[in-house]
Amino acid sequence: MSAQGLSKQSKKKMITFAVIAVAVIVAIIILNVLTEGKLLNPKNLKNVLAGSVVPTLVAFGFLFTGNVTDLSPGGIVILACTATGLLGNAYGVPVMVIGGIAVGVGCMLLNFLVYRITKIPPWIAGLGLLMVYEAIAVNYANSVAAKGQKVVVMNNDIRFLGQQPGIYICWIIGIVVAYIIFNHTSLGINYRATGDNEDVAKVMGINVDKAMILGGIVAGAFFGYAGVIKESYAAFVNAQSGLTSLSTTFQPMAAALLALALASSINVIIAVPISTFLITLIFNVLTLFGVPSGTFQDFILGVIVILFAILAQRKVKGVVK
């Protein structure tokens, strides 16, 4: 492509992004008026930003799973939360961070080994593994309760990673690490090529299995990191069963899909925290309008996931995996 062609393409991207940005800003201003200034209240914005940190990290994990539809991250995050609380209370912050991330990495390494070795469709294997991860967390909670003890609650003196301003620092660290890996490492380049088209990647000399597994490990690190921050933020995360933890991944999934839809206008890694913040803001607006969390907000989230999936896959030919 000529320099002039590149210049025109860049200008088109900039114009598209500018139009989207202006439309979003106008919508936020209107919603702020309708909520009587509550939406853009500094305290409310801080809470919205803090609430978008964990979904942002989970969304990064989804990006590194490439074209693999993995539905187990909800269970992985809960396991990482449990490990974080136990290790943090016993050994302190450094060990809990390493332990939480290690749980995420171990689970996703297992996931990708299962996918690549058995050739089972990832979404089917992911559901089965999700039930396994949920069962582990629930059995632990039940065994502790049977002894008359409390399920792990993180001590307040080690929760600073999930409190302001620590949670913002963790958010920035996650964005920087994701950006560097995705855009400036051979792992990120090979993984993106493999995710786009495995056959072409093989022709290019890329070890597809290795690239996919390494991508899964990076995704697991982000899921584990999200668990560390979530436990630090909430102090206690309930174990869930019956695939109910799946619902906790819909918001970050929607953010990842919206980021992919915006990827033609802005770097996808930068688009992820923007998308997550906007989606969190949408649900904050619904709450300010008195819409109860649960059924109707879940309905809205379902619609958002479908719409963003359509936008993200609009240029994909054939069947989406």
Side-chain angles (χ1 to χ4, degrees), residues 189-190 193-194 197-207:
I189 294 170
N190 291 344
T194 302
N197 191 309
E198 288 192 20
D199 293 331
V200 173
K202 289 177 181 178
V203 172
M204 293 169 61
I206 296 173
N207 186 325

Side-chain angles (χ1 to χ4, degrees), residues 45 58 83 103-104 148 150 169 220 227 275 300:
L45 286 178
V58 176
V103 168
K150 289 185 178 180
I169 296 172
S275 301
I300 297 295

Side-chain angles (χ1 to χ4, degrees), residues 79 129-142 240-241:
L79 269 185
L129 289 164
L130 172 60
M131 296 182 73
V132 170
Y133 300 144
E134 285 185 340
I136 293 172
V138 169
N139 285 334
Y140 164 75
N142 289 341
Q240 295 175 275
S241 61

Side-chain angles (χ1 to χ4, degrees), residues 215-239:
I217 289 173
V218 173
F222 277 105
F223 295 145
Y225 187 40
V228 172
I229 307 306
K230 185 170 184 175
E231 180 75 7
S232 302
Y233 180 79
F236 167 69
V237 176
N238 282 312

Side-chain angles (χ1 to χ4, degrees), residues 164-187:
Q164 303 175 21
I167 193 169
Y168 304 135
I169 296 172
C170 293
W171 178 68
I172 293 171
I173 291 173
I175 294 171
V176 171
V177 171
Y179 186 88
I180 292 172
I181 294 175
F182 197 82
N183 296 294
H184 298 292
T185 67
S186 58
L187 186 155

Side-chain angles (χ1 to χ4, degrees), residues 66-121:
N67 63 353
V68 172
T69 305
D70 191 314
L71 300 176
S72 67
I76 294 174
V77 171
I78 288 175
L79 269 185
C81 288
T82 302
T84 296
L86 285 169
L87 294 173
N89 289 344
Y91 303 107
V93 174
V95 174
M96 84 176 190
V97 172
I98 294 171
I101 292 175
V103 168
V105 169
C107 289
M108 284 303 292
L109 178 59
L110 173 62
N111 285 15
F112 271 74
L113 287 174
V114 170
Y115 304 154
R116 305 305 293 183
I117 293 173
T118 66
K119 307 300 180 182
I120 297 173

Side-chain angles (χ1 to χ4, degrees), residues 28-316:
I28 289 174
I29 292 173
I30 293 173
L31 289 171
N32 185 57
V33 173
L34 294 175
T35 57
E36 300 177 346
K38 295 177 182 178
L39 179 61
L40 295 182
N41 180 284
K43 183 177 180 180
N44 185 61
L45 286 178
K46 285 182 180 180
N47 290 333
V48 171
L49 181 58
S52 71
V53 171
V54 170
T56 294
L57 299 175
V58 176
F60 282 143
F62 276 123
L63 283 185
F64 281 100
T65 60
N67 63 353
V68 172
T69 305
D70 191 314
L71 300 176
S72 67
I76 294 174
V77 171
I78 288 175
L79 269 185
C81 288
T82 302
T84 296
L86 285 169
L87 294 173
N89 289 344
Y91 303 107
V93 174
V95 174
M96 84 176 190
V97 172
I98 294 171
I101 292 175
V103 168
V105 169
C107 289
M108 284 303 292
L109 178 59
L110 173 62
N111 285 15
F112 271 74
L113 287 174
V114 170
Y115 304 154
R116 305 305 293 183
I117 293 173
T118 66
K119 307 300 180 182
I120 297 173
W123 69 271
I124 295 177
L127 284 175
L129 289 164
L130 172 60
M131 296 182 73
V132 170
Y133 300 144
E134 285 185 340
I136 293 172
V138 169
N139 285 334
Y140 164 75
N142 289 341
S143 66
V144 170
K147 297 176 183 178
Q149 302 172 354
K150 289 185 178 180
V151 179
V152 59
V153 177
M154 181 175 283
N155 297 333
N156 287 329
D157 60 341
I158 59 170
R159 290 181 55 202
F160 56 87
L161 293 182
Q163 308 302 305
Q164 303 175 21
I167 193 169
Y168 304 135
I169 296 172
C170 293
W171 178 68
I172 293 171
I173 291 173
I175 294 171
V176 171
V177 171
Y179 186 88
I180 292 172
I181 294 175
F182 197 82
N183 296 294
H184 298 292
T185 67
S186 58
L187 186 155
I189 294 170
N190 291 344
Y191 191 69
R192 294 205 309 275
T194 302
D196 290 338
N197 191 309
E198 288 192 20
D199 293 331
V200 173
K202 289 177 181 178
V203 172
M204 293 169 61
I206 296 173
N207 186 325
V208 171
D209 287 336
K210 180 180 177 181
M212 293 293 287
I213 290 174
L214 287 176
I217 289 173
V218 173
F222 277 105
F223 295 145
Y225 187 40
V228 172
I229 307 306
K230 185 170 184 175
E231 180 75 7
S232 302
Y233 180 79
F236 167 69
V237 176
N238 282 312
Q240 295 175 275
S241 61
L243 301 178
T244 52
S245 66
L246 181 61
S247 63
T248 64
T249 62
F250 290 153
Q251 186 175 337
M253 185 185 296
L257 290 169
L258 178 56
L260 289 171
L262 296 174
S264 60
S265 302
I266 183 175
N267 185 281
V268 68
I269 296 298
I270 303 302
V272 166
I274 295 173
S275 301
T276 310
F277 179 79
L278 291 176
I279 292 172
T280 306
L281 201 65
I282 290 172
F283 290 96
N284 179 252
V285 169
L286 292 174
T287 301
L288 291 175
F289 281 143
V291 177
S293 60
T295 304
F296 190 71
Q297 289 199 14
D298 287 347
F299 168 80
I300 297 295
L301 180 56
V303 172
I304 288 173
V305 169
I306 293 172
L307 290 177
F308 290 169
I310 292 171
L311 289 173
Q313 302 294 335
R314 66 190 185 281
K315 294 183 180 180
V316 176

